[in-house]
Every structure is written in C-alpha cells, then in structure tokens.
Coordinates of all heavy atoms in Angstrom, one line a residue:
M1 N -5.6 10.4 -8.9 CA -4.8 11.2 -9.9 C -3.7 10.2 -10.5 O -3.1 9.5 -9.7 CB -4.2 12.3 -9.2 CG -3.5 13.3 -10.2 SD -4.6 14.1 -11.3 CE -5.7 15.0 -10.1
L2 N -3.5 10.3 -11.8 CA -2.5 9.4 -12.3 C -1.1 9.9 -12.0 O -0.8 11.1 -12.3 CB -2.6 9.4 -13.9 CG -3.7 8.5 -14.4 CD1 -3.9 8.7 -16.0 CD2 -3.4 7.1 -14.2
S3 N -0.3 9.1 -11.5 CA 1.0 9.5 -11.1 C 1.9 9.9 -12.2 O 2.8 10.7 -12.2 CB 1.7 8.4 -10.2 OG 1.8 7.2 -11.0
A4 N 1.6 9.3 -13.5 CA 2.4 9.5 -14.7 C 2.1 11.0 -15.1 O 2.9 11.6 -15.6 CB 2.0 8.6 -15.8
I5 N 0.9 11.5 -14.7 CA 0.6 12.9 -15.1 C 1.0 13.9 -14.1 O 1.5 15.0 -14.4 CB -0.9 13.1 -15.4 CG1 -1.3 12.1 -16.6 CG2 -1.4 14.5 -15.8 CD1 -2.7 12.0 -16.8
R6 N 0.8 13.6 -12.8 CA 1.1 14.5 -11.7 C 2.1 13.7 -10.7 O 1.9 13.5 -9.6 CB -0.1 14.8 -10.9 CG -1.2 15.5 -11.6 CD -0.9 17.0 -11.8 NE -0.7 17.6 -10.6 CZ -1.7 18.2 -9.8 NH1 -2.9 18.1 -10.0 NH2 -1.3 18.8 -8.7
P7 N 3.4 13.6 -11.2 CA 4.4 12.8 -10.4 C 4.6 13.5 -9.1 O 5.0 12.9 -8.1 CB 5.7 12.8 -11.4 CG 5.5 13.9 -12.3 CD 3.9 14.0 -12.6
E8 N 4.5 14.9 -9.0 CA 4.8 15.6 -7.8 C 3.9 15.3 -6.7 O 4.2 15.7 -5.5 CB 5.0 17.1 -8.1 CG 3.6 17.8 -8.3 CD 3.1 17.7 -9.7 OE1 3.7 16.8 -10.5 OE2 2.0 18.2 -10.0
T9 N 2.7 14.7 -7.0 CA 1.7 14.4 -6.0 C 2.0 13.0 -5.3 O 1.3 12.7 -4.4 CB 0.3 14.5 -6.5 OG1 0.1 13.5 -7.5 CG2 -0.1 15.9 -7.1
R10 N 2.8 12.4 -5.9 CA 3.1 11.0 -5.4 C 3.7 11.0 -4.0 O 4.6 11.8 -3.8 CB 3.9 10.1 -6.3 CG 3.3 9.6 -7.5 CD 4.2 8.9 -8.4 NE 4.8 7.8 -7.7 CZ 6.0 7.2 -8.1 NH1 6.6 7.7 -9.1 NH2 6.4 6.2 -7.5
K11 N 3.1 10.3 -3.1 CA 3.7 10.3 -1.7 C 3.9 8.9 -1.4 O 3.0 8.1 -1.0 CB 2.6 10.9 -0.7 CG 3.2 11.5 0.5 CD 2.1 12.2 1.3 CE 2.5 12.5 2.6 NZ 1.4 12.8 3.5
P12 N 5.2 8.4 -1.5 CA 5.5 7.0 -1.2 C 5.2 6.6 0.2 O 5.5 7.4 1.2 CB 7.0 6.9 -1.5 CG 7.5 8.3 -1.5 CD 6.3 9.2 -1.8
K13 N 4.5 5.5 0.4 CA 4.3 5.0 1.8 C 5.5 4.6 2.5 O 6.4 4.1 1.9 CB 3.3 3.9 1.8 CG 1.8 4.2 1.5 CD 1.0 2.9 1.5 CE -0.4 3.3 1.1 NZ -1.1 2.0 0.7
L14 N 5.5 4.9 3.8 CA 6.6 4.4 4.6 C 6.2 3.4 5.5 O 5.0 3.2 5.9 CB 7.1 5.5 5.6 CG 7.9 6.6 4.8 CD1 8.4 7.6 5.9 CD2 9.1 6.1 4.1
Y15 N 7.0 2.4 5.7 CA 6.8 1.1 6.5 C 7.8 1.2 7.6 O 9.0 1.2 7.4 CB 6.9 -0.1 5.7 CG 5.8 -0.1 4.6 CD1 5.9 0.6 3.3 CD2 4.6 -0.9 4.7 CE1 4.9 0.6 2.5 CE2 3.7 -0.9 3.8 CZ 3.8 -0.1 2.6 OH 2.7 -0.2 1.7
K16 N 7.2 1.0 8.8 CA 8.1 0.9 10.0 C 8.6 -0.5 10.2 O 7.8 -1.5 10.0 CB 7.2 1.2 11.3 CG 7.0 2.6 11.5 CD 6.1 2.8 12.8 CE 5.8 4.2 13.0 NZ 4.6 4.3 13.9
V17 N 9.8 -0.6 10.5 CA 10.3 -2.0 10.8 C 10.5 -2.1 12.4 O 11.1 -1.2 13.0 CB 11.7 -2.2 10.2 CG1 12.3 -3.5 10.7 CG2 11.6 -2.2 8.8
W18 N 9.8 -3.1 12.9 CA 9.8 -3.3 14.4 C 10.7 -4.5 14.7 O 10.6 -5.5 14.0 CB 8.4 -3.7 14.9 CG 7.4 -2.5 14.9 CD1 6.7 -2.1 13.7 CD2 7.1 -1.6 15.9 NE1 5.9 -1.1 14.1 CE2 6.1 -0.8 15.4 CE3 7.5 -1.5 17.3 CZ2 5.5 0.2 16.2 CZ3 6.9 -0.5 18.0 CH2 6.0 0.4 17.5
L19 N 11.5 -4.3 15.8 CA 12.1 -5.5 16.3 C 11.3 -5.9 17.6 O 10.9 -5.1 18.4 CB 13.6 -5.1 16.9 CG 14.7 -5.2 15.9 CD1 16.0 -5.0 16.6 CD2 14.8 -6.5 15.1
L20 N 11.2 -7.3 17.8 CA 10.5 -7.8 18.9 C 11.4 -8.5 20.0 O 12.5 -9.0 19.5 CB 9.5 -8.8 18.4 CG 8.5 -8.5 17.2 CD1 7.6 -9.5 16.8 CD2 7.8 -7.1 17.6
N21 N 11.0 -8.4 21.2 CA 11.8 -9.0 22.2 C 11.7 -10.5 22.4 O 10.7 -11.0 21.8 CB 11.4 -8.4 23.6 CG 12.4 -8.7 24.7 OD1 13.6 -8.8 24.5 ND2 12.0 -8.9 25.9
D22 N 12.7 -11.1 22.8 CA 12.7 -12.6 23.2 C 13.7 -12.8 24.3 O 14.4 -11.8 24.7 CB 12.9 -13.4 21.9 CG 14.4 -13.3 21.5 OD1 15.2 -13.9 22.2 OD2 14.6 -12.7 20.4
D23 N 13.7 -14.0 24.8 CA 14.5 -14.3 26.0 C 15.9 -14.8 25.6 O 16.8 -14.9 26.5 CB 13.9 -15.3 27.0 CG 12.7 -14.6 27.7 OD1 12.5 -13.5 27.7 OD2 11.9 -15.4 28.2
Y24 N 16.2 -15.1 24.3 CA 17.4 -15.8 23.9 C 18.4 -15.0 23.2 O 19.7 -15.2 23.2 CB 17.0 -17.1 23.2 CG 16.1 -17.9 24.1 CD1 14.7 -17.9 23.9 CD2 16.6 -18.7 25.2 CE1 13.8 -18.7 24.6 CE2 15.7 -19.4 26.0 CZ 14.4 -19.4 25.7 OH 13.5 -20.2 26.5
T25 N 17.9 -14.1 22.3 CA 18.8 -13.3 21.4 C 19.6 -12.4 22.4 O 19.1 -11.8 23.3 CB 18.0 -12.5 20.5 OG1 17.2 -13.3 19.7 CG2 18.9 -11.7 19.5
T26 N 21.0 -12.3 22.2 CA 21.8 -11.5 23.1 C 21.6 -10.0 22.7 O 21.3 -9.6 21.5 CB 23.3 -11.9 23.0 OG1 23.8 -11.6 21.6 CG2 23.5 -13.3 23.3
M27 N 21.8 -9.2 23.7 CA 21.8 -7.8 23.5 C 22.9 -7.4 22.6 O 22.6 -6.4 21.7 CB 22.0 -7.0 24.9 CG 20.9 -7.3 25.9 SD 21.1 -6.4 27.5 CE 19.5 -6.6 28.2
E28 N 24.0 -7.9 22.6 CA 25.1 -7.6 21.7 C 24.8 -7.9 20.2 O 25.0 -7.0 19.4 CB 26.4 -8.4 22.2 CG 27.6 -8.1 21.4 CD 28.7 -9.1 21.7 OE1 28.4 -10.1 22.3 OE2 29.9 -8.8 21.4
F29 N 24.0 -8.9 20.0 CA 23.6 -9.2 18.7 C 22.6 -8.3 18.1 O 22.7 -7.8 17.0 CB 23.1 -10.7 18.6 CG 22.7 -11.0 17.2 CD1 23.6 -11.3 16.2 CD2 21.3 -11.0 16.8 CE1 23.2 -11.6 14.9 CE2 20.9 -11.3 15.5 CZ 21.7 -11.6 14.5
V30 N 21.7 -7.9 18.9 CA 20.6 -7.0 18.6 C 21.2 -5.5 18.3 O 21.0 -4.9 17.3 CB 19.6 -6.7 19.7 CG1 18.5 -5.6 19.3 CG2 18.9 -8.1 19.9
M31 N 22.3 -5.1 19.0 CA 23.0 -3.9 18.7 C 23.8 -4.0 17.5 O 23.8 -3.0 16.7 CB 23.8 -3.5 20.0 CG 23.0 -3.0 21.1 SD 24.0 -2.3 22.4 CE 24.6 -3.7 23.1
Q32 N 24.2 -5.2 17.3 CA 25.0 -5.4 16.0 C 24.1 -5.2 14.7 O 24.5 -4.7 13.7 CB 25.7 -6.8 16.1 CG 26.6 -7.2 15.0 CD 27.1 -8.6 15.1 OE1 27.4 -9.1 16.1 NE2 27.0 -9.4 14.0
V33 N 22.9 -5.9 14.9 CA 21.9 -5.7 13.8 C 21.6 -4.3 13.6 O 21.5 -3.8 12.4 CB 20.6 -6.5 14.3 CG1 19.5 -6.2 13.4 CG2 20.9 -8.0 14.0
L34 N 21.2 -3.6 14.6 CA 20.8 -2.2 14.5 C 22.0 -1.3 13.9 O 21.6 -0.4 13.1 CB 20.5 -1.7 15.9 CG 19.2 -2.1 16.4 CD1 19.0 -1.9 17.9 CD2 18.0 -1.5 15.6
E35 N 23.2 -1.6 14.2 CA 24.3 -0.8 13.7 C 24.6 -1.2 12.2 O 24.7 -0.3 11.4 CB 25.6 -0.9 14.5 CG 25.4 -0.3 16.0 CD 26.6 -0.4 16.8 OE1 27.8 -0.3 16.1 OE2 26.5 -0.7 17.9
S36 N 24.6 -2.4 11.9 CA 25.1 -2.9 10.6 C 23.9 -2.8 9.6 O 24.1 -2.5 8.4 CB 25.7 -4.3 10.6 OG 24.7 -5.3 11.0
I37 N 22.6 -3.2 10.0 CA 21.6 -3.2 9.0 C 20.7 -2.0 9.0 O 20.3 -1.5 8.0 CB 20.7 -4.5 9.3 CG1 21.5 -5.8 9.1 CG2 19.4 -4.5 8.3 CD1 20.7 -7.0 9.6
F38 N 20.5 -1.4 10.2 CA 19.8 -0.2 10.3 C 20.6 1.2 10.4 O 20.0 2.1 10.7 CB 18.7 -0.3 11.4 CG 17.7 -1.4 11.1 CD1 18.0 -2.7 11.6 CD2 16.6 -1.2 10.3 CE1 17.1 -3.7 11.3 CE2 15.7 -2.3 10.1 CZ 16.0 -3.5 10.6
N39 N 21.9 1.0 10.3 CA 22.9 2.2 10.3 C 22.6 3.1 11.5 O 22.9 4.3 11.3 CB 22.6 3.0 8.9 CG 22.6 2.0 7.7 OD1 23.6 1.3 7.6 ND2 21.6 2.2 6.8
K40 N 22.4 2.5 12.6 CA 22.3 3.3 13.8 C 23.7 3.5 14.5 O 24.6 2.6 14.4 CB 21.4 2.7 14.9 CG 20.0 2.3 14.4 CD 19.3 3.6 14.0 CE 17.9 3.2 13.5 NZ 17.2 4.4 12.8
S41 N 23.9 4.6 15.3 CA 25.1 4.8 16.0 C 25.1 3.8 17.2 O 23.9 3.4 17.6 CB 25.1 6.3 16.5 OG 24.1 6.4 17.4
P42 N 26.2 3.6 17.8 CA 26.2 2.7 18.9 C 25.3 3.2 20.1 O 24.7 2.4 20.7 CB 27.7 2.7 19.5 CG 28.4 3.0 18.2 CD 27.6 4.0 17.4
A43 N 25.2 4.5 20.3 CA 24.3 5.0 21.3 C 22.8 4.8 21.0 O 22.0 4.4 21.8 CB 24.5 6.5 21.5
E44 N 22.4 5.0 19.7 CA 21.1 4.9 19.3 C 20.7 3.4 19.3 O 19.6 3.0 19.6 CB 20.9 5.5 17.8 CG 19.5 5.5 17.2 CD 18.5 6.3 18.0 OE1 18.9 7.0 19.1 OE2 17.4 6.4 17.5
A45 N 21.7 2.5 18.8 CA 21.4 1.1 18.8 C 21.2 0.6 20.2 O 20.3 -0.2 20.4 CB 22.6 0.3 18.2
H46 N 21.9 1.0 21.2 CA 21.7 0.7 22.7 C 20.4 1.2 23.1 O 19.7 0.4 23.8 CB 22.8 1.2 23.5 CG 22.8 0.8 24.9 ND1 22.1 1.5 25.9 CD2 23.2 -0.4 25.5 CE1 22.2 0.8 27.0 NE2 22.9 -0.3 26.8
R47 N 20.0 2.4 22.8 CA 18.7 2.9 23.2 C 17.5 2.1 22.6 O 16.5 1.7 23.3 CB 18.5 4.4 22.6 CG 17.3 5.2 23.2 CD 17.0 6.4 22.5 NE 16.6 6.2 21.1 CZ 15.4 5.8 20.7 NH1 14.5 5.5 21.5 NH2 15.1 5.6 19.5
I48 N 17.6 1.8 21.3 CA 16.5 0.9 20.7 C 16.4 -0.4 21.2 O 15.4 -0.9 21.6 CB 16.7 1.0 19.1 CG1 16.5 2.4 18.5 CG2 15.7 -0.1 18.5 CD1 16.8 2.5 17.0
M49 N 17.6 -1.0 21.5 CA 17.7 -2.5 22.0 C 17.1 -2.4 23.4 O 16.3 -3.3 23.6 CB 19.2 -2.8 22.0 CG 19.3 -4.3 22.5 SD 19.3 -4.4 24.3 CE 20.7 -3.5 24.8
M50 N 17.3 -1.4 24.2 CA 16.8 -1.4 25.5 C 15.4 -1.2 25.6 O 14.6 -1.7 26.4 CB 17.5 -0.3 26.4 CG 18.9 -0.8 26.9 SD 19.0 -2.4 27.7 CE 18.0 -2.1 29.2
Q51 N 14.8 -0.4 24.6 CA 13.4 -0.1 24.4 C 12.7 -1.5 24.1 O 11.6 -1.8 24.7 CB 13.1 0.9 23.4 CG 11.6 1.3 23.4 CD 11.3 2.2 22.3 OE1 12.2 3.0 21.8 NE2 10.0 2.3 21.9
V52 N 13.3 -2.2 23.2 CA 12.7 -3.5 22.8 C 12.7 -4.4 24.1 O 11.8 -5.2 24.4 CB 13.4 -4.2 21.6 CG1 12.9 -5.5 21.4 CG2 13.4 -3.3 20.5
H53 N 13.9 -4.5 24.8 CA 14.1 -5.3 25.9 C 13.1 -5.0 27.0 O 12.5 -6.0 27.7 CB 15.5 -5.2 26.4 CG 15.9 -6.1 27.6 ND1 15.9 -7.4 27.6 CD2 16.1 -5.6 28.8 CE1 16.1 -7.8 28.8 NE2 16.4 -6.9 29.6
T54 N 12.8 -3.7 27.3 CA 11.9 -3.4 28.4 C 10.5 -3.3 28.0 O 9.6 -3.5 28.8 CB 12.3 -2.1 29.0 OG1 12.3 -1.0 28.0 CG2 13.7 -2.2 29.6
Q55 N 10.1 -2.9 26.7 CA 8.7 -2.7 26.4 C 8.2 -3.7 25.4 O 7.0 -3.7 25.0 CB 8.6 -1.2 25.8 CG 8.9 -0.2 26.8 CD 8.9 1.2 26.2 OE1 8.3 1.5 25.3 NE2 9.7 2.1 26.9
G56 N 9.0 -4.6 24.9 CA 8.5 -5.7 24.1 C 8.8 -5.5 22.7 O 8.9 -6.5 21.9
R57 N 8.8 -4.3 22.2 CA 9.0 -4.0 20.7 C 9.5 -2.6 20.5 O 9.3 -1.7 21.5 CB 7.9 -4.3 19.8 CG 6.7 -3.4 20.1 CD 5.6 -3.7 19.1 NE 4.7 -2.6 19.0 CZ 3.8 -2.4 18.1 NH1 3.7 -3.4 17.0 NH2 3.1 -1.4 17.9
G58 N 10.2 -2.3 19.5 CA 10.7 -1.0 19.2 C 11.0 -0.8 17.7 O 11.2 -1.7 17.0
V59 N 10.8 0.4 17.3 CA 11.0 0.8 15.9 C 12.5 1.0 15.5 O 13.2 1.8 16.1 CB 10.2 2.1 15.6 CG1 10.4 2.5 14.2 CG2 8.7 1.9 15.8
C60 N 12.8 0.3 14.4 CA 14.2 0.6 13.9 C 14.3 1.7 12.9 O 15.4 2.2 12.5 CB 14.7 -0.7 13.2 SG 14.5 -2.1 14.2
G61 N 13.2 2.1 12.2 CA 13.2 3.1 11.2 C 12.0 3.0 10.3 O 11.2 2.0 10.3
G62 N 11.8 4.0 9.4 CA 10.8 4.0 8.4 C 11.4 4.0 7.0 O 12.3 4.8 6.8
Y63 N 10.9 3.0 6.2 CA 11.6 2.9 4.8 C 10.4 2.6 3.8 O 9.3 2.3 4.2 CB 12.5 1.7 4.9 CG 13.5 1.8 6.0 CD1 13.2 1.1 7.2 CD2 14.6 2.4 5.8 CE1 14.2 1.2 8.2 CE2 15.6 2.5 6.9 CZ 15.2 1.9 8.1 OH 16.2 2.0 9.2
S64 N 10.9 2.7 2.5 CA 9.9 2.2 1.5 C 9.7 0.8 1.6 O 10.5 0.0 2.4 CB 10.6 2.4 0.2 OG 11.7 1.6 -0.1
Y65 N 8.6 0.2 1.1 CA 8.2 -1.2 1.3 C 9.4 -2.0 0.9 O 9.8 -3.0 1.7 CB 7.1 -1.6 0.4 CG 6.6 -3.0 0.7 CD1 5.9 -3.3 1.9 CD2 7.0 -4.0 -0.1 CE1 5.6 -4.6 2.2 CE2 6.6 -5.4 0.2 CZ 6.0 -5.6 1.4 OH 5.5 -6.9 1.6
E66 N 10.1 -1.8 -0.2 CA 11.1 -2.7 -0.6 C 12.3 -2.8 0.3 O 12.9 -3.8 0.6 CB 11.7 -2.2 -2.1 CG 11.3 -3.1 -3.2 CD 12.0 -2.9 -4.4 OE1 12.9 -2.1 -4.4 OE2 11.6 -3.5 -5.4
V67 N 12.7 -1.5 0.7 CA 13.8 -1.4 1.5 C 13.5 -2.1 3.0 O 14.3 -2.7 3.6 CB 14.3 0.1 1.9 CG1 15.3 0.2 2.9 CG2 14.9 0.6 0.5
A68 N 12.3 -1.8 3.5 CA 11.9 -2.3 4.8 C 11.9 -3.9 4.7 O 12.4 -4.5 5.6 CB 10.5 -1.8 5.2
E69 N 11.3 -4.4 3.6 CA 11.2 -5.9 3.5 C 12.6 -6.5 3.4 O 12.8 -7.5 4.0 CB 10.5 -6.2 2.2 CG 10.0 -7.6 2.1 CD 9.3 -7.7 0.7 OE1 9.9 -7.3 -0.3 OE2 8.3 -8.4 0.7
T70 N 13.6 -5.8 2.7 CA 14.8 -6.3 2.6 C 15.6 -6.4 4.0 O 16.3 -7.2 4.4 CB 15.7 -5.5 1.6 OG1 15.0 -5.6 0.3 CG2 17.1 -6.0 1.4
K71 N 15.3 -5.3 4.7 CA 16.0 -5.1 6.1 C 15.4 -6.2 7.0 O 16.2 -6.8 7.8 CB 15.9 -3.8 6.6 CG 16.8 -2.7 5.9 CD 16.6 -1.4 6.6 CE 17.4 -0.2 5.8 NZ 18.9 -0.5 5.8
V72 N 14.1 -6.5 7.0 CA 13.6 -7.6 7.8 C 14.3 -8.9 7.4 O 14.7 -9.6 8.3 CB 12.1 -7.7 7.7 CG1 11.5 -8.9 8.2 CG2 11.4 -6.3 8.3
A73 N 14.1 -9.2 6.1 CA 14.8 -10.5 5.6 C 16.2 -10.6 6.0 O 16.7 -11.7 6.4 CB 14.6 -10.6 4.1
T74 N 17.0 -9.6 5.8 CA 18.5 -9.6 6.2 C 18.6 -9.9 7.7 O 19.5 -10.7 8.1 CB 19.2 -8.3 5.8 OG1 18.9 -8.0 4.4 CG2 20.7 -8.3 6.0
T75 N 17.8 -9.2 8.5 CA 17.8 -9.4 10.0 C 17.5 -10.8 10.3 O 18.3 -11.4 11.1 CB 16.8 -8.4 10.6 OG1 17.2 -7.1 10.4 CG2 16.8 -8.7 12.2
L76 N 16.5 -11.3 9.8 CA 16.0 -12.8 10.1 C 17.0 -13.8 9.6 O 17.4 -14.8 10.3 CB 14.6 -13.1 9.4 CG 13.5 -12.2 10.0 CD1 12.2 -12.7 9.3 CD2 13.4 -12.2 11.5
D77 N 17.7 -13.5 8.5 CA 18.7 -14.3 7.9 C 20.0 -14.5 8.9 O 20.4 -15.4 9.2 CB 19.2 -13.7 6.6 CG 19.2 -14.6 5.5 OD1 18.0 -15.2 5.2 OD2 20.3 -14.9 5.0
L78 N 20.4 -13.2 9.2 CA 21.6 -13.1 10.1 C 21.3 -13.9 11.5 O 22.1 -14.6 12.1 CB 21.9 -11.6 10.3 CG 23.2 -11.4 10.9 CD1 24.4 -11.9 10.1 CD2 23.4 -9.8 11.1
A79 N 20.0 -13.6 12.0 CA 19.7 -14.1 13.3 C 19.6 -15.7 13.2 O 20.2 -16.4 14.1 CB 18.4 -13.6 13.7
R80 N 19.1 -16.2 12.2 CA 19.0 -17.6 12.1 C 20.3 -18.3 11.9 O 20.6 -19.4 12.4 CB 18.1 -18.0 10.9 CG 16.6 -17.7 11.1 CD 15.9 -18.1 12.4 NE 14.7 -17.4 12.5 CZ 14.5 -16.3 13.2 NH1 15.5 -15.7 13.8 NH2 13.4 -15.6 13.2
R81 N 21.2 -17.6 11.1 CA 22.5 -18.2 10.9 C 23.3 -18.2 12.2 O 24.1 -19.0 12.4 CB 23.3 -17.3 10.0 CG 23.3 -17.8 8.5 CD 24.3 -17.1 7.6 NE 23.9 -15.7 7.3 CZ 24.6 -14.8 7.0 NH1 25.9 -14.9 7.1 NH2 24.1 -13.6 6.6
E82 N 23.0 -17.2 13.2 CA 23.6 -17.2 14.4 C 22.9 -18.0 15.5 O 23.4 -18.1 16.7 CB 23.8 -15.7 15.0 CG 24.7 -14.9 14.0 CD 26.1 -15.2 14.1 OE1 26.6 -15.6 15.1 OE2 26.8 -15.0 13.0
G83 N 21.8 -18.5 15.1 CA 21.1 -19.4 16.0 C 20.2 -18.7 16.9 O 19.8 -19.2 18.0
F84 N 19.8 -17.4 16.6 CA 18.9 -16.7 17.6 C 17.5 -16.6 17.0 O 17.2 -16.5 15.8 CB 19.4 -15.2 17.6 CG 20.7 -15.1 18.4 CD1 21.8 -14.4 17.7 CD2 20.9 -15.6 19.6 CE1 23.1 -14.3 18.4 CE2 22.2 -15.5 20.3 CZ 23.2 -14.8 19.8
P85 N 16.5 -16.5 17.9 CA 15.0 -16.5 17.5 C 14.5 -15.2 17.2 O 13.3 -14.9 17.1 CB 14.4 -17.2 18.6 CG 15.1 -16.7 19.9 CD 16.6 -16.7 19.4
L86 N 15.4 -14.1 17.2 CA 14.9 -12.7 16.9 C 13.9 -12.6 15.9 O 14.1 -13.2 14.8 CB 16.2 -11.9 16.5 CG 15.9 -10.4 16.3 CD1 15.5 -9.7 17.6 CD2 17.2 -9.7 15.8
Q87 N 12.9 -11.7 16.1 CA 11.8 -11.5 15.2 C 11.7 -10.1 14.8 O 12.0 -9.2 15.6 CB 10.4 -12.0 15.8 CG 10.2 -13.5 15.8 CD 10.1 -14.1 14.5 OE1 10.0 -13.5 13.4 NE2 10.3 -15.5 14.5
A88 N 11.5 -9.8 13.5 CA 11.3 -8.4 13.0 C 10.1 -8.4 12.1 O 9.8 -9.4 11.4 CB 12.5 -8.0 12.2
T89 N 9.3 -7.3 12.2 CA 8.1 -7.2 11.4 C 8.0 -5.8 10.8 O 8.6 -4.8 11.1 CB 6.8 -7.4 12.2 OG1 6.7 -6.4 13.2 CG2 6.7 -8.8 12.9
L90 N 7.1 -5.7 9.7 CA 6.8 -4.5 9.0 C 5.5 -4.0 9.5 O 4.5 -4.8 9.7 CB 6.6 -4.8 7.6 CG 7.7 -4.9 6.6 CD1 7.2 -5.0 5.2 CD2 8.7 -3.9 6.8
E91 N 5.3 -2.6 9.4 CA 3.9 -2.1 9.7 C 3.8 -0.8 8.9 O 4.8 0.0 8.9 CB 3.8 -1.8 11.2 CG 2.5 -1.2 11.6 CD 2.4 -0.8 13.1 OE1 2.2 -1.7 13.9 OE2 2.8 0.4 13.3
E92 N 2.7 -0.7 8.1 CA 2.5 0.5 7.4 C 2.2 1.7 8.2 O 1.6 1.7 9.3 CB 1.2 0.3 6.5 CG 1.1 1.4 5.4 CD -0.1 1.2 4.6 OE1 -0.5 0.1 4.3 OE2 -0.7 2.2 4.2
E93 N 3.0 2.8 7.9 CA 2.9 4.0 8.8 C 1.7 4.8 8.7 O 1.1 4.9 7.5 CB 4.1 4.9 8.5 CG 5.3 4.6 9.4 CD 6.5 5.6 9.2 OE1 6.3 6.6 8.4 OE2 7.6 5.3 9.8
Ligands
TYC1 N1 15.7 -9.8 25.9 C1 17.0 -10.2 25.3 C2 18.0 -10.6 26.5 O1 17.7 -10.3 27.7 C3 17.7 -9.0 24.6 C4 16.9 -8.6 23.4 C5 16.7 -7.3 23.0 C6 16.4 -9.6 22.6 C7 15.9 -6.9 22.0 C8 15.6 -9.2 21.4 O2 14.8 -7.5 19.9 C9 15.5 -7.9 21.1 N2 19.1 -11.2 26.2

C-alpha cells in the first residue's frame, strides 16, 4: 500500500540499541552513557549496566533507524574519546 495514499497504515520500524560487555570500560562510564545519551534514570542506568556486565549485552531502548544510528555513533565517539573499547550495535525489532 502506498504510504502517500494511506499514511495511517505506516508503521515505522523500531531498532533496538544494544550495549556489549568488555573488561576495560568502567561501570561509571557506561552509566554516564545510559543517562546522557539514552536518557535513563540513575537506577535504570545501573540496572542496564549490570545486565550487560553479567549477561554480555543489554538493550538501551528502541528507536527509529536514524535516532538509533545516531545514538550508537554518539556512544562510540564518546567511548573512543575517553579511551574505552565499549561497543554498541543496532538490531531490527
Ligand atoms: N565489564 C565492565 C567492568 O567490569 C563494565 C561494563 C559494563 C563494560 C557494561 C561495558 O557495556 C558494558 N568494568
């Protein structure tokens, strides 16, 4: 169906942003990323960080492709500037 004709049927895809665990990025930095880039409360940031730390990866949220891609790029940028190997990826929901 053409979205120009039936705009109400458009269902934008969501993309999950995942944070991956590593041995070198500090817990404090990961929580800072979750609070400043993913707008999490300190309690939620701590919960997600610990999930990544104990299970290898965790979801930071679901966003449009553009927003998800920007959040991944901003995360990687900040991590590299601080000298951390933190990795983040996108996954279609
Ligand atoms: N495993 C890291 C440590 O023990 C903490 C960490 C958590 C790193 C989450 C990355 O996405 C991450 N310092």
Side-chain angles (χ1 to χ4, degrees):
M1 189 64 64
L2 282 173
S3 59
I5 298 171
R6 299 280 307 274
E8 74 281 7
T9 64
R10 286 178 59 205
K11 204 172 166 198
K13 280 183 189 165
L14 284 183
Y15 294 79
K16 282 181 188 159
V17 175
W18 292 85
L19 272 188
L20 308 182
N21 191 32
D22 68 74
D23 291 339
Y24 303 102
T25 305
T26 63
M27 293 181 168
E28 188 188 11
F29 179 76
V30 175
M31 286 190 286
Q32 190 186 309
V33 163
L34 287 162
E35 290 180 40
S36 66
I37 300 173
F38 295 93
N39 309 311
K40 303 300 181 189
S41 67
E44 184 68 353
H46 187 265
R47 188 192 67 74
I48 295 170
M49 183 281 295
M50 283 309 293
Q51 187 182 339
V52 179
H53 178 66
T54 59
Q55 296 175 29
R57 64 179 202 162
V59 175
C60 307
Y63 309 93
S64 70
Y65 184 79
E66 255 195 3
V67 171
E69 197 184 40
T70 302
K71 287 185 187 293
V72 167
T74 307
T75 297
L76 298 184
D77 229 63
L78 193 58
R80 296 308 168 266
R81 262 194 283 151
E82 298 290 327
F84 292 126
L86 181 65
Q87 288 293 346
T89 60
L90 280 190
E91 182 183 271
E92 194 182 320
E93 266 181 10

